[in-house]
Amino acid sequence: MGKLAAPSALILLCLLSLLSNQDRKVQANADEGAGGSPKVEDNIGAVPHGLQTDSDVVKRESESISSRSLRNNAEKFEFQAEVSRLMDIIVNSLYSNKDIFLRELISNASDALDKIRFLSLTDKEVLGEGDATKLEIQIKLDKEKKILSLRDRGIGMTKEDLIKNLGTIAKSGTSAFVEKVQSSGDLNLIGQFGVGFYSVYLVADYVEVISKHNDDKQYVWESKADGAFAISEDTWNEPLDRGTEIRLHLRDEAQEYLEESKLKELVKKYSEFINFPIYIWASKEVDVEVPADEDDSGDEEETTDKTSSEEGEDEDAEKGEDEDTEKKPKTKTVKETTYEWEVLNDVKAIWLRSPKDVTEEEYIKFYHSLEKGFSKEKPMAWSHFTAEGDVEFKAVLYVPPKAPHNLYDSYYKAKSNLKLYVRRVFISDEFDELLPKFLSFLKGIVDSDTLPLNVSREMLQAHSSLKTIKKKLIRKALDMIRKIAEEDPDESSGKDEKEVEKSGEDDEKKGQYTKFWNEYGKSIKLGIIEDASNRNRLAKLLRFESTKSDGKLTSLDKYISRMKSGQKEIFYITGTSQEQLENSPFLERLKKKNYEVIFFTDPVDEYLMQYLMDYEGKQFQNVSKEGLKIGKDKMKKEVKESFKELTKWWKGVVTTDKVDEVKISNRLDNTPCVVVTSKFGWSANMERIMQAQTLSDASKQSYMKGKRILEINPRHPIIKELRARVVKDPEDEGVKQTAQLVYQTALMESGFSLPDPKDFASRIYSSVRSSLTISPDATIEEEEDVEEVETKAGSGTDTDSPDLKDEL
């Protein structure tokens, strides 16, 4: 009996097992027929944060996904606005770039997290326990099903919230939506899943929104953007505890968004400085030690046996070693793909912190993250500040160590280097309305809490807050540049300079403003031309060399501090080079009287001085133009009267050269005469610049050319001799020729181009003849005519070249 009992027991166990399996199958079929949902497995921990369902649910969801149809038991709703019209507005007006959909979803998730964090300040229990307390955003890909999922642990939405928030735009009506945009421009719809949410349909044709609020059950919102959406209680997906998960079933043409690298790139570009950590379920290849195959180990043993048998004396020892080796398991290294959560926004938003808490190293590191270049040079300066009041924003501005090589080649086409964020959400890095063109070299970020997020660039440009932000940014930028000069020991003078030299900490700041000026000086000048409201602030930043600067840069403030007693004007001169200007006849008397004169050698300086008319109550005076007053040195009436006949006669001699006047000069010392222009006309240097323009019109330029005035030096012996000869014989052709030659020489020395260089050359040669006492009748020796021998084509090559027939 004992022997028969064992087989009988085994048979009974098998029958019970079969019956149990059959009962489970029947129960499963019954559940499916009743529309019930399988339960989630308990071993969710196999996947971090539990983003997985059991196999039956996966199968069921796959069938639903393949049909892309709304669930049968879901409550259906109709969009009250025409979806096609709504999508047309989004695609054509707001979202021409499909990449933006991820920015919008992350922005909405961040806002939901902000809300729950705010509630937790007064009630910590709203965060729940365990993973629910982790305020983060998770992105996951399913390449096989073509699904992109984004989950947050934010405040979540109730069923009513899903109907209201995800239908806000549609329910308001397309016409009402457009009307609201045009009237107020305030479309701060973040958190309502308004326009931003609907951008998902640029890349997806079917969308599921699974959401759980602390005050309601978990629901699923789904839509194909075909005029309807559905909401049902979620009893089959993994419980979220709290928050929202959005699943995008991507279109065939949007498969690029299933690549980890693409999503990482978008997060880095648009959401790098979101306040909450953003994770992606990333793949990673690792080396893993696994047991070796039996065939491989057998081959190794066979080889070892052959080797040990041939060794002779060491046979016993090697066998012992082989036995020890065989005791250890054989392994090999293979590549294995693993998955783990990888954080994408590890760069901290330093502008959200107090400037006192940010180190210099952090500022420099943040600058390099903005620059995206290979240079490791330290920025010249930076400014970190917060603006409060009607318009609130935070900003960090940097002065790069070097100007872009094409900064001024395409000045008016250059894009701004500032990144615009709205509540830590990236909007654009080509938003030119934040800074004027002359400050386009600055890099940095602006994060506004006032500007609306979900609007087009055109709407944002017209926003009333933008002008206030721009005004404050300009002020802070100019203060930052001014601070470079104030901290530069080379910019200090007198007592302050000695004190600065004692401090070794400022050695690296030495010469910094000179470096800045060499890189960006032209931008400051262009700012004076373009920005009338900040002209005086920009003028303080001007640097130049002068007759008293000893080869170093100086400022207008320093110039004024060195002005002579009684001097009411700031003297300057423009030209092509400093060397040329230092030897200019216009400076002779000014140097002798110890007046300082500024050198302007940049072509833009001519335009600059048309706008910079005065500084600190002092007028600017171009020493190459009329109206120059040097102290109280007034010309005696007797001198003017004695040269009256010469000046009148000389004007008649040069009447063809459009000389408006000939008068006695108060600016010359060693030079017989110069040609100056009227106060408001072009200088000689400006005429040269305008003539060099590619599309210049000579006929129109004649209106802007200043009237030419010939100023003569009454103390110069040439002028005195001319006066004596004119008094003696005003019709002497030799004297007229000399007067014409002196005028042309003065014209050229004053920086003007000669209207007739051939005439000037002829007069010079005539003067040379006279100095060499060559007879005016002397002629040029005739050249002997040499007859050239004409050769026929090919005749010179007959004897030198081999015959073609011979070669063939």
Side-chain angles (χ1 to χ4, degrees), residues 486-696:
E486 290 177 351
E487 294 179 350
D488 186 350
D490 289 346
E491 289 286 317
S492 303
S493 59
K495 183 179 178 180
D496 293 337
E497 184 175 357
K498 292 178 181 179
E499 292 178 356
V500 172
E501 285 178 355
K502 293 179 182 178
S503 175
E505 298 178 359
D506 294 328
D507 286 346
E508 62 177 282
K509 296 179 180 179
K510 190 177 180 66
Q512 277 293 94
Y513 196 76
T514 299
K515 181 182 177 183
F516 168 83
W517 185 257
N518 292 335
E519 295 289 338
Y520 305 109
K522 189 173 290 186
S523 293
I524 301 300
K525 295 175 182 178
L526 290 168
I528 293 174
I529 295 171
E530 298 170 3
D531 191 351
S533 60
N534 290 294
R535 191 161 289 155
N536 192 60
R537 288 188 182 88
L538 288 161
K540 288 183 178 294
L541 303 175
L542 273 179
R543 295 296 183 270
F544 41 79
E545 291 190 40
S546 71
T547 53
K548 291 186 178 182
S549 65
D550 297 325
K552 297 181 179 180
L553 295 177
T554 189
S555 65
L556 288 173
D557 288 328
K558 289 183 179 180
Y559 179 98
I560 291 176
S561 68
R562 293 192 293 260
M563 287 177 65
K564 291 185 64 175
S565 177
Q567 182 181 344
K568 298 180 180 180
E569 295 174 318
I570 299 173
F571 300 130
Y572 74 93
I573 186 171
T574 60
T576 56
S577 68
Q578 185 169 328
E579 184 180 1
Q580 173 209 358
L581 294 179
E582 286 174 346
N583 298 317
S584 173
F586 294 109
L587 304 184
E588 289 177 356
R589 197 127 188 271
L590 289 165
K591 284 183 176 180
K592 189 175 182 179
K593 295 283 187 178
N594 200 30
Y595 285 96
E596 185 175 6
V597 182
I598 296 170
F599 296 133
F600 285 131
T601 58
D602 193 332
V604 76
D605 291 335
E606 285 286 356
Y607 302 93
L608 167 70
M609 299 315 295
Q610 293 177 25
Y611 292 87
L612 189 60
M613 308 300 294
D614 61 87
Y615 179 77
E616 300 294 340
K618 306 289 184 182
Q619 298 290 320
F620 285 90
Q621 172 64 50
N622 189 334
V623 299
S624 67
K625 291 186 175 184
E626 68 172 344
L628 177 66
K629 297 177 182 178
I630 304 177
K632 298 180 180 180
D633 186 14
K634 297 181 180 179
M635 190 67 62
K636 293 181 180 180
K637 290 184 178 180
E638 295 81 8
V639 176
K640 292 183 178 180
E641 192 66 29
S642 64
F643 281 88
K644 187 176 182 179
E645 185 177 354
L646 174 64
T647 55
K648 185 178 180 180
W649 172 85
W650 208 333
K651 181 180 177 182
V653 171
V654 295
T655 184
T656 57
D657 292 284
K658 300 180 181 179
V659 175
D660 187 66
E661 186 180 359
V662 179
K663 65 179 185 180
I664 304 299
S665 177
N666 66 336
R667 71 186 83 207
L668 297 176
D669 187 46
N670 300 321
T671 303
C673 56
V674 290
V675 179
V676 300
T677 56
S678 56
K679 190 172 184 65
F680 299 105
W682 285 348
S683 65
N685 188 53
M686 189 62 174
E687 282 190 26
R688 179 188 60 79
I689 292 171
M690 295 307 297
Q691 288 171 1
Q693 300 297 316
T694 306
L695 303 177
S696 61

Side-chain angles (χ1 to χ4, degrees), residues 261-500:
S261 57
K262 177 67 175 178
L263 295 181
K264 289 178 180 179
E265 176 190 340
L266 294 182
V267 172
K268 288 284 185 183
K269 181 177 182 182
Y270 290 109
S271 305
E272 188 175 13
F273 301 111
I274 286 290
N275 247 354
F276 304 95
I278 302 171
Y279 294 94
I280 188 170
W281 188 237
S283 60
K284 182 180 179 182
E285 282 196 349
V286 295
D287 293 333
V288 180
E289 294 288 335
V290 298
D293 296 339
E294 292 182 2
D295 295 340
D296 295 341
S297 60
D299 293 341
E300 290 177 5
E301 289 175 5
E302 193 174 323
T303 304
T304 305
D305 291 340
K306 289 181 180 180
T307 306
S308 62
S309 63
E310 294 172 358
E311 290 298 329
E313 295 179 357
D314 299 330
E315 183 176 355
D316 295 335
E318 289 187 3
K319 282 183 179 180
E321 291 178 4
D322 290 341
E323 289 175 0
D324 293 338
T325 305
E326 288 174 359
K327 291 178 183 178
K328 297 179 181 178
K330 300 287 184 178
T331 61
K332 63 179 180 180
T333 303
V334 297
K335 294 287 186 181
E336 187 175 295
T337 302
T338 62
Y339 289 86
E340 61 182 14
W341 291 109
E342 178 183 335
V343 66
L344 300 180
N345 57 337
D346 55 348
V347 178
K348 303 299 181 183
I350 65 171
W351 65 85
L352 301 177
R353 297 156 56 188
S354 170
K356 297 178 181 178
D357 299 333
V358 185
T359 64
E360 179 177 322
E361 184 180 352
E362 287 177 312
Y363 280 121
I364 296 173
K365 183 180 178 182
F366 180 62
Y367 167 75
H368 291 308
S369 72
L370 289 175
E371 187 187 27
K372 304 292 185 186
F374 298 101
S375 173
K376 296 301 179 183
E377 286 190 72
K378 178 182 175 182
M380 288 190 194
W382 55 82
S383 177
H384 180 188
F385 60 93
T386 300
E388 298 178 345
D390 295 338
V391 178
E392 295 184 356
F393 68 93
K394 298 175 177 64
V396 180
L397 302 178
Y398 289 93
V399 178
K402 289 186 179 179
H405 66 280
N406 60 343
L407 177 61
Y408 303 113
D409 294 342
S410 54
Y411 174 74
Y412 290 104
K413 294 181 181 179
K415 298 294 182 180
S416 172
N417 285 313
L418 283 190
K419 288 188 174 185
L420 174 63
Y421 288 80
V422 176
R423 289 177 291 282
R424 274 75 66 199
V425 178
F426 177 72
I427 301 300
S428 174
D429 56 1
E430 294 183 353
F431 206 81
D432 298 331
E433 285 70 24
L434 287 175
L435 282 177
K437 291 293 182 185
F438 70 89
L439 291 176
S440 63
F441 62 87
L442 296 178
K443 292 182 181 291
I445 69 97
V446 177
D447 188 354
S448 172
D449 291 331
T450 307
L451 292 173
L453 179 63
N454 299 319
V455 296
S456 67
R457 178 187 295 264
E458 291 75 17
M459 297 172 191
L460 204 55
Q461 288 171 347
H463 200 275
S464 58
S465 299
L466 203 61
K467 291 183 179 179
T468 306
I469 293 176
K470 182 177 181 178
K471 184 177 180 180
K472 290 183 178 180
L473 284 175
I474 294 173
R475 293 278 183 91
K476 288 293 185 179
L478 297 184
D479 287 343
M480 173 176 60
I481 296 170
R482 177 179 52 80
K483 192 175 179 182
I484 300 176
E486 290 177 351
E487 294 179 350
D488 186 350
D490 289 346
E491 289 286 317
S492 303
S493 59
K495 183 179 178 180
D496 293 337
E497 184 175 357
K498 292 178 181 179
E499 292 178 356
V500 172

